[in-house]
Amino acid sequence: MLDNYNPNQNGGGFAPAPQHNSAMEAAVVSRQAQEVQAAMVVAKRFPRDENAAYTRIIQACQRKSLAESAEYEFPRGGSKVNGPSIRLAEVLAQSWGNIDYGVTEAEQKDGESTMLAYAWDLETNTRRSMTFVVKHERKAKGRINKLDDPRDIYEMTANQGSRRVRACILGVIPGDIVEAAVNQCRATLTTGNKTPLKDRVRAMIAEFDSTYQVKQEWLEKYIGCNADAFSENDVRRLGNVFRSLRDGMAKREQYFGEWMGLDNKTPETVSSKTQEAFEKSKKTNGPKEKTDVKAGSKAEGGALNDLGIDESKLPF
């Protein structure tokens, strides 16, 4: 019990207990290195059967639930960006095999987390990684709110990390495999859905309205035709939009801001007070202050009527 007693220190007393942090850190690093080496040995000993892996991927993409969440779509710089979703990337990694992927928090300080997302093909030793910083804050209604709840911080970092993990996974899996998976998912949505198209369109419009307060008229303007004329491809595109909103990859104003009386090039959410002021100004300024959508419809001989949209039901 007196092993650390030093009679010559400060006239006699106990010396500070030895520090074991460095030894523990070294042990953790050594264990991780051994795990990586073991995984690489197993991958070399049991290499993937690419034909079997491809078959597993195609079979997975024939599931309706996966096909419905296989792609995302969001506007950027006047064009639309789409691609494989996080869920499809995870299925690709699992079915392709011998891939280690994930996201870790390297450091947390000063109200931000330094994160590392990676995907590593253990068989070919191909690795993609991304280091990024996530600030512990959330922007809502034009205000920045600091996050101090550990659960909120975890959800924020996990959400940001999953997007980088998707990019890393798609960077190590052959592009033709990814393209084949996307095409199969599209085919599944087209041929594998027994619900009539019109019923799915009605359900989708109702879901947009109830979840994100997106009106049918905005969806019709986004696609460019009346809802009765929506095709399978239009339904798929709007499904990608819904998933992008759900996953936080884009905001409602980025898709429908032009018809909400907002600048569709501005990604920030406009506060409710700004919305109220905008609505009030329209009422007080009279017909001359109508939005571009309605003014354009009258000047062009009723373009909205040509689309089959009742102007009286517009939200402006």
Side-chain angles (χ1 to χ4, degrees):
M1 295 178 62
L2 303 178
D3 290 342
N4 62 334
Y5 181 80
N6 186 354
N8 297 322
Q9 180 175 347
N10 298 327
F14 287 94
Q19 300 295 321
H20 299 289
N21 290 340
S22 60
M24 293 177 61
E25 292 175 358
V28 171
V29 172
S30 177
R31 185 177 70 252
Q32 291 176 342
Q34 292 175 0
E35 291 176 353
V36 170
Q37 292 175 356
M40 293 184 68
V41 169
V42 172
K44 289 292 185 180
R45 182 174 297 179
F46 303 100
R48 72 174 61 91
D49 183 338
E50 294 190 359
N51 292 329
Y54 177 81
T55 301
R56 287 195 298 269
I57 290 173
I58 296 301
Q59 288 178 346
C61 293
Q62 291 174 353
R63 298 198 305 267
K64 178 185 172 184
S65 57
L66 175 60
E68 289 176 339
S69 61
E71 291 184 87
Y72 66 86
E73 178 179 315
F74 64 89
R76 175 182 291 173
S79 61
K80 294 179 177 62
V81 179
N82 65 339
S85 67
I86 299 167
R87 299 293 165 258
L88 180 58
E90 291 174 343
V91 170
L92 288 173
Q94 294 164 4
S95 300
W96 193 241
N98 286 342
I99 291 181
D100 181 23
Y101 63 93
V103 59
T104 60
E105 185 178 54
E107 186 180 29
Q108 182 178 139
K109 67 177 183 179
D110 300 330
E112 62 182 30
S113 295
T114 301
M115 309 293 294
L116 172 66
Y118 66 93
W120 188 0
D121 190 327
L122 299 171
E123 188 174 324
T124 63
N125 201 24
T126 302
R127 181 181 174 89
R128 287 287 300 273
S129 63
M130 294 183 181
T131 303
F132 57 99
V133 175
V134 179
K135 293 185 178 181
H136 301 164
E137 59 186 31
R138 180 182 290 116
K139 190 169 185 179
K141 297 183 179 179
R143 299 174 55 187
I144 296 178
N145 302 318
K146 299 293 184 181
L147 302 180
D148 52 13
D149 189 329
R151 180 174 181 177
D152 291 338
I153 294 174
Y154 165 76
E155 291 177 351
M156 173 70 72
T157 55
N159 181 268
Q160 296 288 332
S162 61
R163 305 177 193 177
R164 275 75 174 189
V165 170
R166 179 196 66 231
C168 292
I169 291 175
L170 298 179
V172 299
I173 293 181
D176 61 319
I177 301 297
V178 177
E179 184 178 356
V182 172
N183 290 336
Q184 179 59 55
C185 288
R186 293 176 179 176
T188 300
L189 291 178
T190 302
T191 62
N193 205 318
K194 298 181 180 179
T195 305
L197 178 60
K198 290 186 177 181
D199 292 343
R200 282 183 281 141
V201 170
R202 283 195 292 268
M204 179 187 62
I205 292 174
E207 190 69 19
F208 264 106
D209 191 15
S210 62
T211 306
Y212 298 109
Q213 292 73 54
V214 173
K215 305 302 180 184
Q216 176 177 337
E217 291 85 350
W218 304 348
L219 298 176
E220 292 173 332
K221 289 292 292 181
Y222 181 82
I223 294 298
C225 65
N226 191 284
D228 294 336
F230 281 0
S231 65
E232 288 283 357
N233 187 61
D234 297 331
V235 172
R236 180 182 60 81
R237 285 184 56 197
L238 290 176
N240 296 339
V241 171
F242 188 89
R243 284 183 289 277
S244 297
L245 294 175
R246 181 193 61 194
D247 296 339
M249 298 188 65
K251 297 180 181 179
R252 184 181 61 163
E253 288 73 19
Q254 289 180 266
Y255 294 104
F256 312 106
E258 179 180 355
W259 309 293
M260 296 170 62
L262 307 175
D263 183 3
N264 63 332
K265 296 182 180 179
T266 303
E268 291 82 16
T269 303
V270 177
S271 66
S272 58
K273 292 183 178 180
T274 304
Q275 288 275 42
E276 293 173 1
F278 175 79
E279 296 293 338
K280 185 177 180 180
S281 66
K282 291 190 299 181
K283 294 179 181 179
T284 58
N285 291 333
K288 294 183 179 180
E289 299 297 326
K290 296 291 184 180
T291 63
D292 292 341
V293 172
K294 212 161 190 181
S297 67
K298 294 179 178 180
E300 296 171 8
L304 291 180
N305 292 331
D306 294 339
L307 291 174
I309 300 176
D310 187 357
E311 292 185 7
S312 62
K313 295 183 180 180
L314 282 173
F316 307 115

